[in-house]
Amino acid sequence: MAAIITLSLLGIVLLYIGLYKAKKALLPTTLIGLLVALGFEICDWGKEAVPLFHGMVIFDHFALSFSILCILLTALILLLSKAYFSAISTNIAEYYCLIVFSLTGALLVNAYHNFAILFIGIEIMSVALYILAGIRRKDLYSNEASLKYFIMGAFSTGFLLFGITLLYGATGTFDLSGLRQYVVDTPQGISPLFYAGILFMLVGLCFKVGAAPFHFWVPDVYDGSPILITTYMSTVVKVASFAAFLRLFDYVFAALNDFWTPILLAVIVITLFVGNISALMQTSFKRMLAYSSVAHAGYMLFAILSLGANSASGIFVYAVAYSLSSVVGFGTLILVKKYNGSDQFIAFNGLGKSNPLLAVTLTLAMLSLAGIPLTAGFIGKFMMFTTAMNDYHITLLLLAAVNAIIGVFYYLRVIVHMYFKSAEEGTTPFVMPLNFKMVFVIAAILTLAVGIYPQCLIGLF
Amino acid sequence: MDNLFILLLFPTLSAIVLSFVKSSSLARGFGLGASLVQLALTIPFVCAFIPNAEVQFEQALPWISTLGISFHIGIDGISLPLVLLTNVLIPLIILSGFRKQHTGSFYALILFMQTGLLLVFTALDAFSFYVGWEIALIPIYFICALWGGPDRIRVNLKFFVYTFLGSIFMLIGIIYLYQQNPNKDFEWTSFIHLILSESEQRWLFWAFFLAFAIKIPILPFHTWQPDTYTNAPAAGTMLLAGIMLKMGVYGLIRWLIPIVPAGVAAYGSLVFVLCIVGIVYASIIAFQQQDAKRLIAYSSIAHVGLISAGVFAWNTTGLQGAILQMVNHGIIVVGLFFVIDILEDRTGTRLLDGLGGLADRMKKLAAFFLIIIMAGIGLPLTNGFIGEFLLLKGLFQVHVWAMAVAGLTLIFGAVYMLRLFQKTMLGPMESKYGAVKDINGYEVLLLGVVVILIIVIGVYPNALLRLSEASVTRLVQQISF
C-alpha cells in the first residue's frame, strides 16, 4: 500500500516541479520516487497477505511481483525519455506526472480484491493514457489515436461495469471472496445473471488486453501515439490487465470453466491468427510490433484457459519476456525514427554495421519474441504450452505451433534488414545515446538471465 | 577435468571472448587455438571411457525444478563417436576459413554452434536436448546468411523456417510426453519407459520424425538442403553437412525409436522405403549437376539416406554401420567441400564445364582429392567401405531387395564421384588456368588430416566400432518392434 501512496504523492510533487519550471529535476525525482515505491513493494514480500481495508486490496505475492515488474518497466521506459519529451513538447512535467498516475492505477489493478478497486484502478490507469495518447495536439494521428483509445476504452469499461453489475445482481457482493464463496456454495443453482456477468467481464477484459476480435483499436492507437507512450501501453498496461484477468478467473470463475472455456478458446485461436497474419503483412516496424502484441496476448491467454499451479508463474515469465523485448523494440524505433525519419523496415537497413550494440540487443529481443531457446521468450512460450497441455488442448497447441512459425517470418525480417541489407542512400550512421545503451543492455542481460536460469522467477510463486 | 560440463562451457566462453575480437589474424589464431584446446579436453573422456553399455561421465544439475527440468548430460557409446566427430571437425572447419579475412564473430558463431551440437549429442533430458537442438540453428543461420552466396537471404529464411517448423512440433511432442510422465520430469530414462497407447505413439512419431527428417534430410523434406548448401560459405556447408545433419540421425537413434516403438512399427517401413527411394533419387539428380557444390549436396542426401535406412533396419549391424558412417561421412564431406572451395578460389568457378585438367597444375591436390573421392565411393581400405558394408549387411537382414536397391548407391556413387573428379582434374585444361597454384601450407595440413583419418578408420574401424558396440547391442535388445 505504501507504494501506491508514494506514487500518488510523487505525481503531485511532479506537477509542482513543473509549475516551478525545474525541468532538470523531473527525471531524477521520478526515478527516485519509483525506487522508493519499489523498495516498499520488496519490503512487503514474504509477509502474510490478508485483504486490507474491508477486503478492498490484497498484496499477495502475485500482486507484488506484477507490481514490481510494472514499476521496473516504467523506470526503464522513463530512462529512455530523456530528451524525448522535450523534443515534442514544452510542458514535459505533464508526461511524467501522467505516467506516474497511470502506474498508480496499474498497481491498484494488480492488487484488487474488490470490483470497486478493479474499476477505479482501470480508470486511473486509462484516463491518464487517453491524455498521453493525444498529447501531440497538432498531430492528426495522435488525435485519432487518442479519440479511438478513448472511445474504445469507454466502450470496454462499459462492458466491464455491466458485467460487474450483473455479478452483483446475482451475488449481492463486489468482494472477490464473496463471489468465490457464491460459486462454491451453489454449484448447481448458479444464477443466469452470473453467467451473463462472466461473459461481459470476459469481453471487457479481452478489450483491455487487446485480444481479437476486440483488438481493432490496438494498431491505430499504438501507431498514432508517441512511441514512448506506446511502449508504456504495450507493456505496463498490458501486464496489469493480464494480472487482473488471471486473478479474476483463477480465484472466482475457475470452477465454472466448462462455461467459459469454449469462448476463450475461440478468442485465443482468432487472436493468434489475426495477430500473426496481420503482423506478417506490415511494412512498418511499429505496426508489426502492434500486431505482434496482439498475437502475444493470444499466447498469454493460454494460462487463463488452462488454470493450474503454474498459470501465475507462466504468465509472469511471459510478461517479463514480452515486456523487455517490447521496450528494446520500441526503443530502437525511437532512434531509427529520429535519425532515419521512418518507421518502415527499410529504415533498419545496415544497422548491423553502423550500430553493432543496437543490432545485437534488438536481435536478441526479436529472438525472444520468436521464442528461441536461451531467451526469456522461449521459457514463456514453453510454460504456456505446458499449461495448455494440462488440459490436453492438443489442437490448440498445433495451431499455436503454426503461429509460432508465422511469427519467425516477421521477426527474422527485422534481423535480415539490419544485418544483410546495406544502408539506404542518404541515411547517416548515428551514435546511440548513453541512456539507450544502458536500457538496452539491461534488457538484454535480463532476457538472457531469465532464459538461462528461469527458476529465479518461476520459484517466486 | 573429467566434468563433462567443461566441454560445453569452454566453447561458449571462448565464443563470448571471440565476439569482441576485431583483428582477423588474432581472431583466427584464437579460434583455432580454442578449438584445439577443446579437442585436447575431449581426449581424457575418450581414454577414460569404458566401452560398455552404461552412460558415463553423467552430470545433472537442477535447472527449472518447479517443472522437473534438470540439466542432465552424459556420454554413452552412441554419443561418444559424435562428440569426437564434432570436436575433431571444428578445428578443421575453422582452419578451412583461413583464406578469408573474418572478424572474431565468425569464429565465435562456429564455437557457439559447437556448444549446441555437443549439448544435442550429450543431453539425457529432453528439455536440454531441445535447447541444444535450437541453439545450434541460430549460429548456422547467421554464418550462412552473413557470409553466404548471392541468394543467401531467401534461401536461409527457408532453411530457418523449415527447421523451426520441425522442431516446434517436436517441442509439443516433448511436452505431451512430460504430461504423461508420472515422475513429472523430462528424463530420457523416464521417457523410454513410458507406457503409451498405439494411437498416441502414431502421432508422436510424426511430431518427432518431422524434426529429424527435416534436419537429415529424408526424401520429401530435403528441398531446403541443396539451395542452402550451395549458397552457404565453405565453413557453413561443412558445419551443415559434416555435423549438423548427424543431429537428426542421432535423434532417431536416441529419442524417436526408443520412445515410440509402436509408432515406428506402424510407419517405420514407410520411412524405410522413403530412405531407399531417396538414395536412388538423389544419386540420379547428382549425375546431372553442373555445380560441384550442388553435386556433393545431392550425394550427401544419398549417403544419409543409406544411413537412415540402416537406422530403421534396427539391428546391431545396421546401427553400428550407421554410427560409423556418420563419422565417415562427416570427415569425407568436409574434405570434399574443402577441395571444391580451393578450386573455386583458384579458378573462380565451381561449374564442371568450366574446369578440367587441373591435375597437371595441382598435383598434390589431385592426389588428396582422389583418396577422398575413393572414400566417398566406398573403396576397401578407406573408411567409406566399412560403413557402407555394415549398413548394407544390416539392410540385408531386413529385406534382400532393400539391400539390392540401396546397394545401387555404390555404383551410382562411383559414377557421380568419378565424374566429378574427371571433369575437374582430368582432360584438357583451359589455358587461362595455366597459372593456378597448387595447395600449400594449411591446405595440405587440412587435407592431410582428412586423408589420414580416412585411411586409419578404413584400416582399423574397430577403434570406433568397439566404442559403440555394447550400447547399440543393448538398445536393440531393449527396444524391439
Side-chain angles (χ1 to χ4, degrees), chain B residues 12 42 58 76 82 105 120 145 158 163 210 218 232 256 268 317 350 372-373 377 379-380 382 404 410 417 425 433 438:
Chain B
T12 318
T42 323
E58 250 181 287
D76 72 351
L82 293 164
S105 48
V120 167
K158 183 175 169 188
T163 34
L210 205 60
I218 288 175
L256 177 76
T317 327
R350 292 194 305 251
I372 298 171
I373 288 273
I377 297 170
L379 204 74
T382 63
L410 288 173
M417 283 294 184
M425 291 293 149
Y433 300 139
D438 202 356

Side-chain angles (χ1 to χ4, degrees), chain B residues 199-210:
Chain B
S199 59
E200 282 172 318
Q201 294 207 20
R202 279 166 183 249
W203 77 261
L204 279 170
F205 173 85
W206 288 107
F208 279 86
F209 178 73
L210 205 60

Side-chain angles (χ1 to χ4, degrees), chain A residues 366-394:
Chain A
M366 290 299 127
L367 293 180
S368 177
L369 286 176
I372 303 291
L374 292 192
T375 61
F378 169 67
I379 305 292
K381 209 160 262 172
F382 178 77
M383 292 195 68
M384 288 301 151
F385 280 25
T386 317
T387 334
M389 192 61 95
N390 276 332
D391 292 349
Y392 296 105
H393 293 297
I394 292 177

Side-chain angles (χ1 to χ4, degrees), chain B residues 243-257:
Chain B
I243 316 176
M244 198 165 180
L245 64 79
K246 275 71 180 185
M247 283 165 57
V249 184
Y250 177 81
L252 293 178
I253 303 175
R254 172 74 70 200
W255 298 94
L256 177 76
I257 297 178

Side-chain angles (χ1 to χ4, degrees), chain A residues 310 373 390 392 420 452 455, chain B residues 63-67 134 179-180:
Chain A
N310 288 326
N390 276 332
Y392 296 105
F420 312 141
I452 291 169
Q455 182 64 30
Chain B
W63 193 359
I64 310 176
S65 37
T66 318
L67 298 175
E134 284 286 278
Q179 211 53 251
Q180 299 300 310

Side-chain angles (χ1 to χ4, degrees), chain B residues 282-294:
Chain B
S283 304
I284 291 174
I285 296 185
F287 293 160
Q288 340 213 332
Q289 294 307 313
Q290 268 303 311
D291 184 337
K293 215 168 173 181
R294 230 179 154 76

